[in-house]
Amino acid sequence: MNWTLLLFGSVCLLVLGEDAFVQGKRDARTVTFSRTARGHSRRRRDTWTGQARFTACKTPLSPKDQEILLSHTHETGFHGDDGSSFTLTWVGDGTGVILVLSTLSALSDSFYEGGSTRLYRSDDYGKSFHDISHAINNTFINKDFGISAGPGNPQQVILTANLPFTETLGGVILTSMDAGVTFRSVQLPFHPAQAIQFHYQDPKYLVVISIDDGLWFSQDFGNSWSEVHEGVHTFTWGSGITLFFSSSPKGTVEAARRGELILRRTQDFGQTFSTIAKNIFYFGYIGGFLFTSVIEKLGSPRVIYVSSDQGDHLKKAQLPSVTTEQFYSVLDGDEDMIFMHVDNPGEDTYFGTIYTSDDRGILYSKSLERHLFGGEGKSDFTNVTSLRGVYLTNKLEEDGRIRSVISFDRGGRWRFLNKPENVDCPENSKKCNLHIHGEHSHFSGITPMLPLSEPTATGLVIAHGSVGDSISAARPDVYVSGDGGYTWWGTLRGPHLYSILDSGGLLVAVEAHRDRQISSIKFSTDEGQCWKTFNFTSHPIFLAGLASEPGTKTMNISIFGYRPDDDDQPMWVAVTIDFEHLLTRECGEQDYVNWLAHTDYDSDPETDGCLLGYKETFRRLKKLSACRNGRGYVVSRQQRPCLCTREDFMCDYGFYRHENSLECLPQPDFLNQTQDICLNGELEDFQTSGYRKIPGDKCEGGFSPPIRNNAFKKNCGKDSSPTSSNLHTEKSPGMLVLIVVCTCVGVIGLVITAALIITSRRVNCRQSSPSYRFSALQLQEEDLCVSHENSSNGKINGFQDQEDSDDDLIE
């Protein structure tokens, strides 16, 4: 479930190490507002210069509509609350329950005695709040990770108390099973070092790391806990109840820096463990793929290993290795493919190459060069969730300019964004396109929020951007697209906070000022073509942020901010507006239209709308229909397969596409070179014409490149993956004798077989046709199981997993 995350005055930071692996989707239920925005050090964005490139469409709000909205606007003043930040958490789906934790920015010993934090609760979507601090005995709650809500619709809530580590043997949590009506205090045998993590499906399963690096489990919603492993660095849930974690018996911080962590797995809540890999830096899990970056031998670069079977088998990803000054980053992924960023060689290059994987996560094709990735660990890579296959990002040109590109086919081809129809190009502009602000601009304070799209609002995208030769920080305006990014419209002047309500039937926006107060909100019922302004208060507030229920089903929007109280101290204020009483008519069949996604009105009708092998027709609301989709609205779509064309294929290894071309051409650097891959213990000589079908593509018939896979397979010795799934079991003496005898016989057989394979391999290497020509992958020969006439060494120098006992690993 996605939170409509609208921050202003505070920035959410994810501090990453050398390699950044996505641990699934970020928590969308919780957001923190700060009232320190006026003291922010960045340049004020409220005074704009330059010529206006478009005029925003405004229509007046009738006195009747103004009266209706005023009668359904609810304001709460949090008098006497001196907290510097508010943390909001939604509990359950459709419950209307919001918990607000108010905390101070500084601590002192007296704060632990109570009255230092306040907890508020609303059960009507933020229209009223009640102080329930007494329900937790005024316990001081941790500001950074003090409140967590269970996944899905359950009403479980956990509050983590902030207690002095030196004065208590363990921490305290307060648990609720009724969405915060009552709480139960639980004494812990440890101090949590982070937020307690729910299992993504079953909220009674909890896991957390303690301040002394212990891994703790609870199987009864926190009532009892057991430590299952020591020296743990990070963890993440896999499929089912599988839990992956990295550990070291020598201290996790230094081990992570040196690449000496051990990747392990438990599938029974710590009763038994499997050692998956050793000498790792970092790991991550996304879309069913397990990733880890390792050093195979001392002094060598880091490489990536991937598993698609929960760690049973790890295979080396065919990607460039990286040095200590480079990094990998998994940008996005699902069960079909992975987007991987590989940093360019050199210190602080601020760009790299995006690769896309096959459905095993092992073979990768180059998707986009010079992809921008700043030194602060921020990438502008954005998945447009309102339309399948669409991704946005920015690239760093050789002249230093930053330009936005978009892909409509999951990275198969990238193009510049079209200029909005109602926006004028700057003078002397040679390449006039729309450029979108992403994480870099948000982190730098240029824009108050990121691009926004929702799966329930088909085709709708809202983002800050600029029009010209490249991206500009001079004036970030708001642009909207109703067709997933094919066409755009200049919609609002200057930076705004915005939100999607009623499954796209209603948009709301607030001007993001730092140096003056606000008193109005804008809303649109035609996907941002025109806006009306509603004055929600006669007492303006300094804006802290917007909040709406996850999932876009709601028609309530809450504006959080602060204004001077009677004693001239800042007072927190929440204003909630219910638009349901303005749009009272339920939408009927006459309000919807069938819309073919990914359409190009100038293309062949047979192929128009075909993407990833099929056409998709949606039933969506007409722009001029001012009605209410309602909570029961479900996105309706029809799918029809398409004939295959070149657009259904991406370029294979050693091949590339020129801009504005669909033909895959051999890369000159790899002409007349033969590279064979050792996968699953077999040497695979892949024959290719340069095309590989995009993972998840469902096209039928039509274009079919003449590909011959696996022209031959030969045993290339040991599998390129480390030994996995080493569940430690005792072996009887009789079994050990049998193993020794069998091993001796096997060794003799292997010696004979190896001699035959080496001889056969030399012959086959001379006779084979050119195989995969790797596109600037910089792989070492020993990693690819290749052999030459002057060398018979076909050994793979892969990293190995040794069968150390669990006790040895913990010591």
Side-chain angles (χ1 to χ4, degrees):
M1 170 171 295
N2 294 322
W3 226 97
T4 305
L5 182 63
L6 312 178
L7 290 181
F8 190 61
S10 63
V11 178
C12 179
L13 295 180
L14 176 62
V15 181
L16 302 173
E18 291 173 313
D19 302 321
F21 295 130
V22 181
Q23 304 288 345
K25 303 301 181 184
R26 69 179 63 180
D27 181 13
R29 292 181 175 274
T30 301
V31 62
T32 299
F33 299 137
S34 171
R35 67 179 184 194
T36 59
R38 297 176 67 190
H40 201 281
S41 60
R42 77 166 182 85
R43 185 183 307 170
R44 303 297 186 189
R45 310 305 311 178
D46 295 336
T47 302
W48 304 108
T49 59
Q51 180 182 357
R53 302 297 172 190
F54 69 91
T55 301
C57 176
K58 302 177 182 178
T59 57
L61 183 67
S62 68
K64 179 182 178 181
D65 289 346
Q66 173 79 16
E67 183 179 350
I68 292 174
L69 287 177
L70 276 176
S71 63
H72 293 92
T73 297
H74 311 269
E75 179 176 311
T76 301
F78 299 86
H79 297 277
D81 191 316
D82 54 0
S84 60
S85 65
F86 265 26
T87 300
L88 282 69
T89 297
W90 288 85
V91 182
D93 295 335
T95 63
V97 176
I98 310 173
L99 294 179
V100 176
L101 180 67
S102 170
T103 57
L104 293 173
S105 58
L107 305 179
S108 68
D109 292 340
S110 62
F111 291 157
Y112 294 110
E113 299 175 1
S116 57
T117 59
R118 292 189 182 182
L119 183 66
Y120 303 94
R121 185 178 186 271
S122 171
D123 57 9
D124 54 8
Y125 297 93
K127 297 174 183 178
S128 62
F129 287 90
H130 306 281
D131 190 339
I132 61 168
S133 304
H134 62 278
I136 59 172
N137 296 320
N138 294 312
T139 305
F140 185 81
I141 304 301
N142 191 292
K143 176 183 176 182
D144 298 322
F145 52 84
I147 184 167
S148 302
N153 202 39
Q155 300 185 32
Q156 285 94 331
V157 180
I158 296 177
L159 304 179
T160 302
N162 196 347
L163 301 178
F165 301 149
T166 58
E167 299 179 13
T168 57
L169 296 177
V172 171
I173 60 173
L174 299 107
T175 62
S176 174
M177 298 285 291
D178 52 14
V181 176
T182 59
F183 285 89
R184 176 177 179 267
S185 179
V186 179
Q187 180 69 47
L188 302 177
F190 61 92
H191 285 284
Q194 56 184 205
I196 293 175
Q197 298 293 318
F198 288 87
H199 186 269
Y200 60 93
Q201 288 181 329
D202 193 335
K204 71 173 178 289
Y205 298 143
L206 307 175
V207 63
V208 69
I209 296 177
S210 61
I211 60 172
D212 57 355
D213 298 331
L215 182 66
W216 292 80
F217 263 119
S218 174
Q219 300 181 54
D220 54 9
F221 188 55
N223 291 324
S224 60
W225 293 83
S226 59
E227 185 179 24
V228 298
H229 208 286
E230 296 178 346
V232 175
H233 185 249
T234 56
F235 69 86
T236 185
W237 288 106
S239 177
I241 60 172
T242 299
L243 188 85
F244 301 104
F245 63 94
S246 58
S247 65
S248 170
K250 301 178 182 179
T252 59
V253 175
E254 284 300 310
R257 186 181 62 84
R258 295 192 301 261
E260 297 177 354
L261 293 172
I262 302 168
L263 177 57
R264 311 203 74 190
R265 177 189 71 186
T266 179
Q267 296 177 301
D268 51 15
F269 301 105
Q271 299 299 312
T272 57
F273 299 95
S274 303
T275 297
I276 297 175
K278 293 186 177 182
N279 299 326
I280 78 164
F281 281 90
Y282 299 94
F283 79 96
Y285 182 85
I286 182 174
F289 293 99
L290 175 68
F291 294 87
T292 182
S293 60
V294 304
I295 286 184
E296 296 180 309
K297 56 185 178 181
L298 186 63
S300 65
R302 297 193 312 282
V303 295
I304 293 289
Y305 274 74
V306 184
S307 172
S308 57
D309 56 9
Q310 301 297 300
D312 286 341
H313 302 89
L314 280 176
K315 306 297 179 184
K316 183 188 292 184
Q318 303 303 308
L319 283 165
S321 58
V322 298
T323 62
T324 55
E325 60 188 23
Q326 295 173 264
F327 62 90
Y328 296 104
S329 178
V330 179
L331 301 173
D332 195 30
D334 55 26
E335 65 277 4
D336 290 326
M337 66 181 292
I338 293 294
F339 287 89
M340 179 80 76
H341 172 98
V342 181
D343 189 39
N344 262 40
E347 187 174 357
D348 296 334
T349 60
Y350 300 113
F351 68 91
T353 301
I354 294 178
Y355 293 87
T356 53
S357 78
D358 64 354
D359 55 3
R360 297 175 297 177
I362 300 173
L363 300 180
Y364 286 78
S365 297
K366 185 181 293 185
S367 175
L368 178 67
E369 295 181 308
R370 301 194 66 86
H371 175 240
L372 180 67
F373 206 118
E376 70 281 0
K378 298 295 179 183
S379 166
D380 292 339
F381 192 86
T382 302
N383 179 11
V384 177
T385 59
S386 59
L387 197 63
R388 65 183 175 93
V390 184
Y391 291 86
L392 274 168
T393 195
N394 286 314
K395 59 184 296 188
L396 181 64
E397 302 285 11
E398 293 185 1
D399 60 3
R401 295 186 178 186
I402 298 174
R403 306 193 72 193
S404 295
V405 289
I406 190 169
S407 174
F408 298 105
D409 56 1
R410 307 188 75 185
R413 186 159 60 110
W414 296 87
R415 65 185 76 175
F416 295 113
L417 280 71
N418 293 325
K419 180 189 76 70
E421 181 181 344
N422 66 327
V423 180
D424 297 327
C425 292
E427 296 179 4
N428 303 321
S429 177
K430 297 179 181 179
K431 299 178 180 179
C432 187
N433 297 97
L434 174 64
H435 304 281
I436 299 298
H437 289 281
E439 282 273 11
H440 290 282
S441 297
H442 183 54
F443 176 80
S444 303
I446 296 172
T447 58
M449 67 175 298
L450 301 175
L452 179 62
S453 61
E454 294 284 353
T456 54
T458 304
L460 193 59
V461 193
I462 315 173
H464 288 90
S466 59
V467 172
D469 292 329
S470 61
I471 201 165
S472 171
R475 183 181 179 90
D477 296 320
V478 180
Y479 298 85
V480 65
S481 174
D483 54 11
Y486 285 91
T487 60
W488 294 83
W489 184 262
T491 184
L492 292 171
R493 297 280 293 152
H496 285 70
L497 297 183
Y498 37 76
S499 184
I500 300 173
L501 307 180
D502 192 35
S503 302
L506 179 66
L507 306 183
V508 294
V510 178
E511 294 181 8
H513 295 298
R514 290 186 181 274
D515 60 347
R516 62 182 184 269
Q517 296 167 300
I518 65 163
S519 59
S520 62
I521 186 172
K522 304 172 185 178
F523 67 94
S524 171
T525 58
D526 56 8
E527 297 185 353
Q529 302 300 299
C530 274
W531 297 81
K532 295 181 179 181
T533 300
F534 165 57
N535 295 315
F536 59 81
T537 183
S538 57
H539 302 285
I541 62 174
F542 288 101
L543 179 64
L546 295 183
S548 61
E549 182 190 23
T552 76
K553 296 290 187 181
T554 185
M555 297 189 72
N556 295 280
I557 187 72
S558 295
I559 307 166
F560 279 80
Y562 52 95
R563 70 165 74 100
D565 203 353
D566 296 336
D567 56 358
D568 290 331
Q569 295 298 315
M571 177 186 69
W572 280 101
V573 176
V575 179
T576 298
I577 306 168
D578 187 353
F579 284 91
E580 187 171 352
H581 298 275
L582 182 65
L583 299 174
T584 57
R585 185 175 68 86
E586 295 284 348
C587 297
E589 285 297 325
Q590 72 279 4
D591 296 301
Y592 294 95
V593 63
N594 289 329
W595 175 70
L596 178 63
H598 296 287
T599 185
D600 183 355
Y601 301 103
D602 297 328
S603 65
D604 185 347
E606 285 297 319
T607 59
D608 191 23
C610 288
L611 183 81
L612 300 177
Y614 61 97
K615 297 184 179 184
E616 207 164 21
T617 301
F618 291 88
R619 175 178 171 268
R620 60 183 296 182
L621 191 64
K622 296 177 181 178
K623 290 184 179 180
L624 297 181
S625 292
C627 57
R628 186 173 64 204
N629 281 315
R631 283 192 169 272
Y633 175 78
V634 177
V635 176
S636 175
R637 72 191 77 191
Q638 295 179 341
Q639 298 178 354
R640 184 159 58 93
C642 299
L643 291 175
C644 294
T645 67
R646 278 186 169 86
E647 291 186 338
D648 296 293
F649 295 81
M650 60 200 330
C651 291
D652 220 326
Y653 284 106
F655 292 80
Y656 72 102
R657 275 181 173 138
H658 280 301
E659 289 187 11
N660 302 319
S661 172
L662 292 176
E663 185 177 2
C664 292
L665 304 175
Q667 187 162 333
D669 295 345
F670 288 86
L671 286 174
N672 302 320
Q673 293 189 23
T674 299
Q675 302 282 11
D676 302 323
I677 307 174
C678 186
L679 293 176
N680 303 320
E682 294 181 323
L683 182 67
E684 300 188 5
D685 180 14
F686 290 92
Q687 306 299 313
T688 176
S689 60
Y691 297 88
R692 178 158 59 89
K693 202 169 186 180
I694 298 173
D697 194 291
K698 301 177 182 178
C699 69
E700 301 174 356
F703 173 75
S704 178
I707 297 179
R708 293 185 296 123
N709 288 324
N710 303 334
F712 65 82
K713 288 186 177 183
K714 294 291 182 181
N715 189 335
C716 56
K718 182 176 56 181
D719 194 351
S720 62
S721 67
T723 306
S724 57
S725 294
N726 292 317
L727 292 174
H728 187 70
T729 56
E730 296 289 334
K731 296 181 175 66
S732 65
M735 180 64 71
L736 290 176
V737 172
L738 179 61
I739 290 174
V740 170
V741 173
C742 292
T743 301
C744 292
V745 175
V747 168
I748 296 172
L750 284 174
V751 171
I752 298 173
T753 304
L756 295 174
I757 290 176
I758 292 172
T759 303
S760 174
R761 178 67 185 99
R762 286 178 176 175
V763 174
N764 280 309
C765 280
R766 298 190 189 101
Q767 295 176 347
S768 64
S769 302
S771 61
Y772 268 101
R773 301 182 178 94
F774 293 99
S775 179
L777 291 186
Q778 303 175 359
L779 292 173
Q780 302 297 319
E781 286 184 343
E782 61 265 28
D783 297 334
L784 298 172
C785 199
V786 296
S787 59
H788 301 279
E789 292 183 359
N790 59 352
S791 173
S792 61
N793 181 14
K795 180 180 179 181
I796 302 171
N797 293 318
F799 70 101
Q800 301 182 25
D801 173 51
Q802 302 175 2
E803 292 201 49
D804 292 323
S805 70
D806 295 338
D807 293 336
D808 293 337
L809 295 173
I810 294 175
E811 290 179 355

